[in-house]
Amino acid sequence: MAAGRKELKLGSRTGNKRRRTRASFSEALKVADARARARATRNRPAGRRRFKHIQAAIAVPYEDSSASPDFLLRAFRWGLALTLLPLCGVTSWTYFDQLSGVALDRAFWITSEFWYFATGALLMTGWFVSGLFWNAFLYLYVLGHELTHILAIWLFRGKISDWGVSVDGGYVTTDKSNIFISLAPYFVPLWATLLMGTYAAFARFLEPTPTVEKTIDALLGFFWAFHLLWTLWMIPRDQPDLKENGTFLSLAIIYLANLLLVIFLTSLASDDFSLREFAREWLIRAEDLARTAWVITQAIRAAL
C-alpha cells in the first residue's frame, strides 16, 4: 500500500498487506444459505462464535497502524469523553422524561404509527435472536457498514481506490479518515435513511395511501432495529474503529449520536413530541445539573 493510503476493513482474516477476493452479491447469498443450513444441525451459540473475527476497522495510516497514541492524545480523548458524559446524561434524562409524559398523557402508545413501527422492530429482533437468516443479515450489515464509510469519505472529499464486501467481511481503501468517517456506520442507519429518502421523494409526486404509510412505518422500525441490534452485537468484538479514536470517546459519541437519532424519529412519529419543547426542557435540566455540580465543587473546596 502506498504511503498515505488508508484502509477500512470489516471482517478481514488477513493482514493489511494482502488483498481480499471480492464476492458478488449472489455468491454471498449462496454461501449464506449453505452456512445457514449447516448451522441448523448445531446449537445457536456455537454457530455464532465463528463470527467473532468480524471487525469494523477504522482507516488508519498503513505505516502507523501498530503505533499507540501518546499520553497527551489519550488524555485529551479521555477528557473529551468525560465532557460528553453529562451531555449524554442530560439528553437521556430529558428524552425519557418527555417521552413518558407524552405516552401517559397523550396516548402515544396506542397510535397506529407506533404499533406498526414496533411490529417491524420486534420482527427484526425475533429474527436476530433466533438466528434465522443470520448470514444474509450479516452480509447486509457488512454492505451497509462499508457503504456508510464510503459516503462519509465522499462527504469529506476523500478518494476511494478500492473496496469490497462478502459474508466474511469487507474493506475500503481511502486516502482520508477522521472521527466521523470511522464511526459513521455505528450511528447512521443507512438502510432506514435510504428508505425514508426514497419515500420522501415519491411522496412529492404521489399521494401515499394509508397502507403505504403503515408499511413504511413497519419497515422503518425493522431497519432501525437492524441497525441497533447489529451495532450492539459488533461493538464488543474488539473493534479497531473504536480504538482508533479511543474506545471510551468513541462509545460516548456513538451513544449520544444514536440517542439524538431516536429523539428525531420520535418527533416524526408523534406530533405531541416537539423538538422545540425538548430543547427547552434540555436547557432547564442542563442548568440544574451545572448548578448542582457547582455547589458540590464549592463544598469540596471548603472541606479541603
Side-chain angles (χ1 to χ4, degrees):
M1 186 181 301
R5 289 286 175 181
K6 305 171 185 180
E7 186 169 320
L8 296 85
K9 299 187 298 177
L10 190 147
S12 174
R13 294 181 181 176
T14 62
N16 287 341
K17 295 183 179 180
R18 296 183 61 185
R19 289 285 305 277
R20 293 176 48 81
T21 301
R22 183 180 304 179
S24 68
F25 183 79
S26 59
E27 291 171 343
L29 288 183
K30 289 180 182 178
V31 173
D33 290 338
R35 292 184 176 180
R37 286 192 294 269
R39 286 182 62 253
T41 62
R42 302 191 298 269
N43 59 62
R44 183 164 51 88
R48 289 193 178 187
R49 280 197 293 271
R50 63 218 235 16
F51 292 111
K52 286 188 177 180
H53 68 277
I54 292 176
Q55 297 181 350
I58 164 90
V60 295
Y62 175 76
E63 60 271 17
D64 295 330
S65 60
S66 61
S68 298
D70 57 31
F71 174 78
L72 290 179
L73 181 56
R74 291 199 302 269
F76 171 77
R77 289 171 177 171
W78 270 83
L80 184 57
L82 290 173
T83 302
L84 289 177
L85 287 184
L87 298 180
C88 294
V90 172
T91 305
S92 301
W93 178 19
T94 306
Y95 172 68
F96 288 112
D97 184 65
Q98 188 172 353
L99 181 65
S100 63
V102 171
L104 294 176
D105 301 337
R106 303 171 190 176
F108 172 69
W109 304 120
I110 64 174
T111 61
S112 62
E113 293 86 355
F114 169 78
W115 278 107
Y116 278 97
F117 181 92
T119 299
L122 288 174
L123 181 61
M124 179 67 252
T125 303
W127 273 339
F128 181 85
V129 173
S130 67
L132 292 174
F133 311 114
W134 182 267
N135 287 331
F137 284 130
L138 175 61
Y139 182 84
L140 187 64
Y141 177 82
V142 174
L143 177 62
H145 185 103
E146 302 305 335
L147 288 177
T148 306
H149 276 312
I150 290 173
L151 293 175
I153 292 167
W154 284 345
L155 179 64
F156 286 91
R157 304 176 67 85
K159 296 180 180 180
I160 297 167
S161 59
D162 195 17
W163 72 288
V165 174
S166 74
V167 290
D168 290 323
Y171 66 94
V172 176
T173 305
T174 180
D175 64 344
K176 178 172 289 189
S177 178
N178 56 41
I179 194 167
F180 180 85
I181 291 174
S182 63
L183 298 182
Y186 298 96
F187 57 78
V188 176
L190 179 66
W191 303 120
T193 302
L194 292 177
L195 172 68
M196 290 301 299
T198 303
Y199 171 74
F202 277 99
R204 290 178 60 90
F205 304 100
L206 299 174
E207 183 69 23
T209 64
T211 300
V212 171
E213 291 180 342
K214 293 173 182 178
T215 302
I216 293 298
D217 290 335
L219 288 175
L220 184 60
F222 181 91
F223 284 115
W224 176 79
F226 173 82
H227 159 75
L228 182 63
L229 290 169
W230 279 99
T231 297
L232 291 175
W233 183 83
M234 191 67 65
I235 283 177
R237 285 162 172 77
D238 193 28
Q239 300 304 320
D241 273 348
L242 309 183
K243 291 181 178 180
E244 173 65 16
N245 300 287
T247 301
F248 186 22
L249 175 59
S250 297
L251 290 177
I253 292 174
I254 291 170
Y255 175 82
L256 183 59
N258 277 285
L259 180 59
L260 292 175
L261 172 65
V262 171
I263 292 170
F264 176 71
L265 290 177
T266 306
S267 71
L268 293 180
S270 174
D271 295 332
D272 296 322
F273 190 96
S274 168
L275 291 179
R276 179 176 297 181
E277 179 67 16
F278 173 85
R280 188 182 70 83
E281 293 294 330
W282 190 94
L283 290 174
I284 292 174
R285 286 170 172 78
E287 183 180 358
D288 291 341
L289 180 62
R291 187 181 300 110
T292 301
W294 174 256
V295 170
I296 294 175
T297 301
Q298 293 299 105
I300 294 175
R301 290 182 60 184
L304 296 177

